[in-house]
Amino acid sequence: MNNIPKLPLGNWIESLESWLENHFTPLFDFIRLIIGSIVDFLHHVLLFSPSILMILIITALAWFLGKWKVAAFALIGLLLIDNLGYWEHAMETLAIVLTASLLSIIIGVPTGILCARSSFLQGIITPLLDLMQTMPAFVYLLPAVSFFSLGVVPGVIASIIFAVPPTIRLTNLGIRQVPSELVEAADAFGSTPNQKLFKLQLPMALPTMMAGINQTIMLSLSMVVISSMIGAQGLGADVYRAVTQTKTGIGFEAGISIVVLAILLDRMSNHIVKKNKR
Amino acid sequence: MSIIEAKQLTKIFGSHPEQAMQFLKQGWTKERILKETRMTVGVNQASFSIEAGQIFVIMGLSGSGKSTLIRLLNRLIEPTSGQLLFEGRDIVQMSAKELRQFRRKKMGMVFQKFALFPHRTVLQNVEYGLEIQGIEKQARKEMAEQALQLVGLGGWENSYPDQLSGGMQQRVGLARGLANDPDILLMDEAFSALDPLIRKDMQDELLQLQSTMKKTIIFITHDLDEALRIGDKIALMKDGVIVQIGTPDEILIKPATPYVEKFIEDVDLSKVLTAAHVMRKPATITLERGPRVALQLMKEQGVSSLYVTDKGKKLLGVITAELASAALKENLSIGDILIKEVPTIDSATPINELFEPMAASSIPLAVTDDTNRLLGIVIRGAVFAALAGNAIPEAGGAN
């Protein structure tokens, strides 16, 4: 074993990185612009009105989507965040999470559909998803920073990499789980592939897909602290600062705000699923 | 006129179907091909033609290839080789687009496990085939409602499939298959998942619908009773090969191979065979003859009674030997001694309904048609012989 020289894998990766950096800068700038604008836009929308009004709006939305319990939790939880003084940071975090989730869905659902149609593609994508979910996030934060520089954008990119797999996996699974007799019936009546997709496969896969999207939202929320290390603002940055300065109290306050957001996003997205079932 | 004609239609599942096809043409068996090439012969060079308006039943046990065969007909499974002519056009050669149009307009399909779309209402299910053709909403709603009326499900439009019983779900399946008014209806074990009583109801209903619709129906089943009940023609399959095609009578009376014989051995013949199968040529006499001639005829033919008809073969009554000799003594005519109260039966009466009238009557039963013409007589010995499964005479035969 000893006479086989070490593979220069690290060197290869680094040359790939600089090659990408040299040749694709306009593309990266474009992506940066798009993601940055979405985050900014959501950020402004969320902070447009006084906090109390936004709390009421979110509570009303929770009421509409789910039961009164979710609405009550939204009201109390958000008032707590406001009271502790983390409202603005919480909305920054929410803007980042929503952007990452939205882009994950836009990327994940079509990819999942393609995987469901082609077992060959599924064979390629599945190990890639395993890699994305298990590779420590810090490892791809570095190239993300060198492509997109510090700030919120590499944080969103890292969140997408970490959070998109469940949407892809469960979209694929949901479509593949549609009973073959039903697919046969759709074929027997002369459906085009798209008619089959939109009239049968997607409606039937929806509950499974929504479970995946719910996971995606949760996972992208779990990335906020890591993203703050490369300059993304929000609650994650508060936690990060508290940890580096060993301020347990602040860390706990920001932490509990993240938990409130997490529970709220989870329950609300779950209720979208239930509302979609007849 | 045949609406569908299959020529050497073959399906081989496996990695190199063309290669297995060569072996098949050289006469290799399904087992040998499986053993040496690890490929499965689904359907082996099936040739048949189906007449328009016929119920064509494909029957076989599981694994006989019948479900594969029906799927070759609308190419849910792609044939490996062979031709499939629909009104002269080869379905196998159709492009994806042509095939889609063909499926949309010409063929409906009903599935064993109903295959209704659970997220759609009954009406939306029935509308599906019309919707994907781009038929405008109001028109397709009317067509779907009409199809639902046809199967007796008017008023259930807005229910969901899981709110209906199995029998009702399959009615929805049938309505969906009929909604686009196809020429051909494929029914894949359509009633097999239903309870026996409901299955029988559905069979009756299908026959009744068919008497007005006159569709060409291709019906798959593993149930011989079902096949005999509804089939105009039956194709019996084994190991991917069609071993016999014929009317139910032909299958029962002249099984082509020992396999078919074994297949039909458990059939309750008393339900399947009818008076027409067991009746014999009657000994008759016309009214104008005298008792002496009657006695002579009875003696010649070794019978103790004679049916009396007019010259148009219309049944008038019956005379017995005793009555004839009494008439001879008292110089009466046949008309005077004629017994007019004769039990008659229709030629389509199944044998199991003959036992009672036979027990009650001392003379053979008379088989007549609607106009009271005497077609034949049924004697006990012929019935027992038929039930024993041997020596069934040709229908209406002379001996």
Side-chain angles (χ1 to χ4, degrees), chain B residues 26 66 107 129 135 157 175 191 193 242 318 346:
Chain B
Q26 289 165 27
K66 58 189 191 302
M107 265 192 186
I135 291 177
E157 286 84 356
F191 303 150
I242 295 183
V318 70
D346 187 82

Short mmCIF file of all heavy atoms in Angstrom, two decimals, chain B residues 26 66 107 129 135 157 175 191 193 242 318 346:
data_model
loop_
_atom_site.label_atom_id
_atom_site.label_comp_id
_atom_site.label_asym_id
_atom_site.label_seq_id
_atom_site.Cartn_x
_atom_site.Cartn_y
_atom_site.Cartn_z
N GLN B 26 -38.19 -21.58 -33.96
CA GLN B 26 -37.64 -22.92 -34.19
C GLN B 26 -38.37 -23.97 -33.37
O GLN B 26 -38.01 -25.15 -33.39
CB GLN B 26 -36.15 -22.95 -33.81
CG GLN B 26 -35.27 -22.18 -34.76
CD GLN B 26 -33.90 -21.92 -34.17
OE1 GLN B 26 -33.43 -22.68 -33.34
NE2 GLN B 26 -33.27 -20.85 -34.61
N LYS B 66 -52.77 -14.30 -20.18
CA LYS B 66 -53.97 -13.62 -20.65
C LYS B 66 -53.92 -12.12 -20.36
O LYS B 66 -54.33 -11.32 -21.20
CB LYS B 66 -55.23 -14.25 -20.04
CG LYS B 66 -55.27 -14.27 -18.53
CD LYS B 66 -56.43 -15.12 -18.04
CE LYS B 66 -56.67 -14.95 -16.54
NZ LYS B 66 -55.52 -15.27 -15.69
N MET B 107 -60.74 2.62 -27.95
CA MET B 107 -60.68 1.56 -26.94
C MET B 107 -60.94 2.10 -25.55
O MET B 107 -60.37 3.11 -25.16
CB MET B 107 -59.29 0.92 -26.96
CG MET B 107 -59.22 -0.32 -27.80
SD MET B 107 -57.70 -1.20 -27.50
CE MET B 107 -57.81 -2.46 -28.75
N GLY B 129 -61.26 10.28 -19.53
CA GLY B 129 -60.90 10.01 -20.92
C GLY B 129 -61.32 11.12 -21.87
O GLY B 129 -60.71 11.34 -22.91
N ILE B 135 -62.16 17.71 -24.66
CA ILE B 135 -63.59 17.97 -24.87
C ILE B 135 -64.05 19.01 -23.85
O ILE B 135 -63.69 18.94 -22.67
CB ILE B 135 -64.40 16.67 -24.75
CG1 ILE B 135 -64.06 15.77 -25.94
CG2 ILE B 135 -65.90 16.97 -24.72
CD1 ILE B 135 -64.73 14.43 -25.90
N GLU B 157 -72.57 11.26 -8.69
CA GLU B 157 -71.52 11.99 -9.39
C GLU B 157 -70.48 12.59 -8.46
O GLU B 157 -69.29 12.60 -8.75
CB GLU B 157 -72.13 13.12 -10.23
CG GLU B 157 -72.85 12.67 -11.49
CD GLU B 157 -74.28 12.25 -11.21
OE1 GLU B 157 -74.68 12.23 -10.04
OE2 GLU B 157 -74.99 11.92 -12.18
N ALA B 175 -68.33 2.69 -16.48
CA ALA B 175 -68.80 3.95 -17.06
C ALA B 175 -67.62 4.72 -17.65
O ALA B 175 -67.73 5.30 -18.73
CB ALA B 175 -69.50 4.79 -15.99
N PHE B 191 -64.52 -8.47 -13.16
CA PHE B 191 -65.44 -8.82 -12.07
C PHE B 191 -64.80 -9.75 -11.04
O PHE B 191 -65.44 -10.20 -10.11
CB PHE B 191 -66.70 -9.48 -12.64
CG PHE B 191 -67.43 -8.63 -13.65
CD1 PHE B 191 -68.15 -9.20 -14.68
CD2 PHE B 191 -67.38 -7.24 -13.56
CE1 PHE B 191 -68.83 -8.40 -15.61
CE2 PHE B 191 -68.06 -6.45 -14.48
CZ PHE B 191 -68.77 -7.03 -15.51
N ALA B 193 -62.68 -9.29 -8.69
CA ALA B 193 -62.48 -8.81 -7.33
C ALA B 193 -63.81 -8.65 -6.58
O ALA B 193 -63.81 -8.21 -5.44
CB ALA B 193 -61.72 -7.49 -7.34
N ILE B 242 -52.47 -19.90 -27.16
CA ILE B 242 -53.92 -20.12 -27.22
C ILE B 242 -54.13 -21.57 -27.62
O ILE B 242 -53.77 -21.97 -28.72
CB ILE B 242 -54.59 -19.17 -28.22
CG1 ILE B 242 -54.44 -17.72 -27.74
CG2 ILE B 242 -56.06 -19.52 -28.38
CD1 ILE B 242 -55.12 -16.71 -28.63
N VAL B 318 -100.09 -35.93 -27.40
CA VAL B 318 -99.34 -37.17 -27.34
C VAL B 318 -100.32 -38.34 -27.21
O VAL B 318 -101.43 -38.19 -26.68
CB VAL B 318 -98.33 -37.13 -26.16
CG1 VAL B 318 -99.05 -37.18 -24.82
CG2 VAL B 318 -97.31 -38.25 -26.27
N ASP B 346 -88.55 -25.17 -23.32
CA ASP B 346 -87.82 -24.39 -24.32
C ASP B 346 -86.45 -25.03 -24.56
O ASP B 346 -85.89 -25.65 -23.64
CB ASP B 346 -87.66 -22.97 -23.76
CG ASP B 346 -87.06 -22.05 -24.79
OD1 ASP B 346 -87.82 -21.56 -25.63
OD2 ASP B 346 -85.83 -21.84 -24.76
#
